[in-house]
Every structure is written in structure tokens, then in C-alpha cells.
Amino acid sequence: DGGITQSPKYLFRKEGQNVTLSCEQNLNHDAMYWYRQDPGQGLRLIYYSQIVNDFQKGDIAEGYSVSREKKESFPLTVTSAQKNPTAFYLCASRDRSTYEQYFGPGTRLTVT
Amino acid sequence: AQKITQTQPGMFVQEKEAVTLDCTYDTSDPSYGLFWYKQPSSGEMIFLIYQGSYDQQNATEGRYSLNFQKARKSANLVISASQLGDSAMYFCAMREGPGNAGNMLTFGGGTRLMVKP
């Protein structure tokens, strides 16, 4: 079964701790994306990667970091520098031949 | 200026009736595309339909159709024969630039659709 997995679905952390969100895809897609969604709002782009070992900042990259060492994996680290990390985080991927982005189930991060 | 505007925060529709969800966009790029996604309460984003700026015909996918009016910069989603399972948040999104430009999406604020039995 091809798709995108994000784990865990719910994540709780104390303020001041870094936390890494997992995103794995077995769709053989080149491009991968991280979005953040706050309650009652649309998605905003954090980072994206078009190929392995390359990634670009999106609209709200401050306080986040990513890596793309493998085609299948695009982990997102929420650092202690992110002022308001509590949000719903969605990962997506895209085949280079289409425009459609496929989304994972998301991770809901709560920082207290 | 907002790139994607969805002016209807919430809408009700009677089961089996059609409903139109509004979306207007702002871009100066001649190459762009408009998407609609559905987000149920579980949170995942489900792709519904896509319209490219150079597409001659309005896109259709089953009960979904996109009313694309380029001169007015609008890309409204029409859902025919609404079903109870259509109750969800709906997001309009846009990509700008040619296909190799990263394809980042800009999302609107969403419309919550509620289907009444």
C-alpha cells in the first residue's frame, strides 16, 4: 500500500525541548513538503525539498529545521526557537510529472 | 494582499442539493493552477480537483466541478447532489510558476460545509 506516514499522530512536549516529526513516503516521489495548520486556518508552508540533499525555506521557516538524506524521508525538527509550536503539522509529497500533492495524516503537536 | 480568499467561513446545504464554495485568487504569473482539498474532522487533506491556468475546459471529477472564471480570478467549487459525508472543511489552494518551480501551494482560510439531512 503506497502512501505517506506521519508518526506519531499526537505528540506532547515541554517548552524548551526540540522535537522531531517523522514523515515517510513510499510513493517514489521526488518532492516533499511540510505545512503547519493552526485552528480554523489554512495551511502554511514551512519547508520543501525537490530532491535528496536539497531543501528550501517556505513562508514560516523560522524555528524549524529539516533534512533530506533519503528520498523516502523528510523529518521536521521543531526547535526551542519556535515561539508558538503548538499546531497541526502536515507532510506532503508530489511526483514530478503532476501538480497534485498527496498528504499524510498529520501530527498534532502540543507544547506546554 | 491575500493570494487566496475564501469569503464563506461556513455554509449549510440540504442533502442532495448542489452547493458552490467560493474562491478568488491573486497572481500576476501567467502559469498557475488552482486546487481544492477536503479536510474531514480526522485532519487528512484529500485532493478533489485541479484546474490549470491554460486549461480550456472547466475541470470535473465525479460530483465535483470547478467553475473557473479567469478574467474574474475566481475558481469556485461546485458539489452536486450533496451527501452527509461531504460535511468537512474545504480549502482552495494555488501554485504559481512553471512546473519545475517547486510547486509550493498557498492556501485560503477554508470554508466549513455542513450538510443537513
Side-chain angles (χ1 to χ4, degrees):
Chain A
D1 240 334
I4 301 175
T5 56
Q6 292 185 245
S7 59
K9 190 163 180 62
Y10 299 95
L11 193 51
F12 298 89
R13 280 295 183 271
K14 294 286 188 189
E15 195 174 322
Q17 293 178 337
N18 290 358
V19 59
T20 297
L21 280 57
S22 160
C23 177
E24 304 278 331
Q25 55 99 357
N26 60 4
L27 300 166
N28 200 32
H29 288 173
D30 291 299
M32 296 186 74
Y33 307 80
W34 273 106
Y35 293 90
R36 169 185 172 133
Q37 186 179 29
D38 292 289
Q41 297 187 29
L43 280 64
R44 291 182 291 167
L45 182 66
I46 305 172
Y47 267 98
Y48 68 100
S49 167
Q50 296 198 74
I51 55 171
V52 173
N53 292 323
D54 183 66
F55 47 83
Q56 307 293 331
K57 292 182 179 180
D59 300 320
I60 54 165
E62 187 174 345
Y64 299 98
S65 66
V66 292
S67 63
R68 187 86 187 277
E69 296 175 3
K70 299 186 301 182
K71 189 175 186 178
E72 306 78 29
S73 178
F74 190 40
L76 173 74
T77 297
V78 185
T79 75
S80 55
Q82 168 49 234
K83 296 282 186 279
N84 297 296
T86 294
F88 187 50
Y89 291 88
L90 286 149
C91 177
S93 71
R94 180 182 72 94
D95 183 83
R96 68 172 67 191
S97 64
T98 70
Y99 294 120
E100 176 188 341
Q101 291 185 18
Y102 293 86
F103 283 81
T107 292
R108 197 167 296 279
L109 173 65
T110 303
V111 176
T112 56
Chain B
Q2 292 275 9
K3 287 203 169 186
I4 296 286
T5 303
Q6 295 180 252
T7 57
Q8 307 152 311
M11 287 194 69
F12 284 96
V13 63
Q14 199 67 41
E15 194 178 7
K16 297 180 186 167
E17 292 186 351
V19 63
T20 298
L21 306 183
D22 294 342
C23 173
T24 57
Y25 60 91
D26 183 31
T27 181
S28 56
D29 201 309
S31 175
Y32 59 91
L34 286 310
F35 301 77
W36 278 93
Y37 282 87
K38 172 184 178 182
Q39 187 178 43
S41 56
S42 54
E44 78 268 30
M45 298 288 283
I46 301 167
F47 168 75
L48 296 178
I49 197 165
Y50 171 78
Q51 178 86 43
S53 58
Y54 296 118
D55 294 344
Q56 296 297 315
Q57 308 257 22
N58 283 350
T60 60
E61 289 285 349
R63 293 188 299 114
Y64 305 107
S65 60
L66 202 151
N67 184 3
F68 183 46
Q69 298 188 46
K70 200 168 180 176
R72 298 180 61 184
K73 293 192 174 179
S74 76
N76 298 339
L77 176 71
V78 180
I79 305 175
S80 63
S82 297
Q83 301 172 356
L84 295 178
D86 293 336
S87 294
M89 284 291 291
Y90 288 81
F91 291 95
C92 180
M94 178 173 66
R95 63 148 193 93
E96 296 172 273
N100 60 356
N103 200 56
M104 295 81 74
L105 297 183
T106 302
F107 284 81
T111 294
R112 181 171 298 282
L113 178 66
M114 291 151 283
V115 180
K116 296 187 288 185

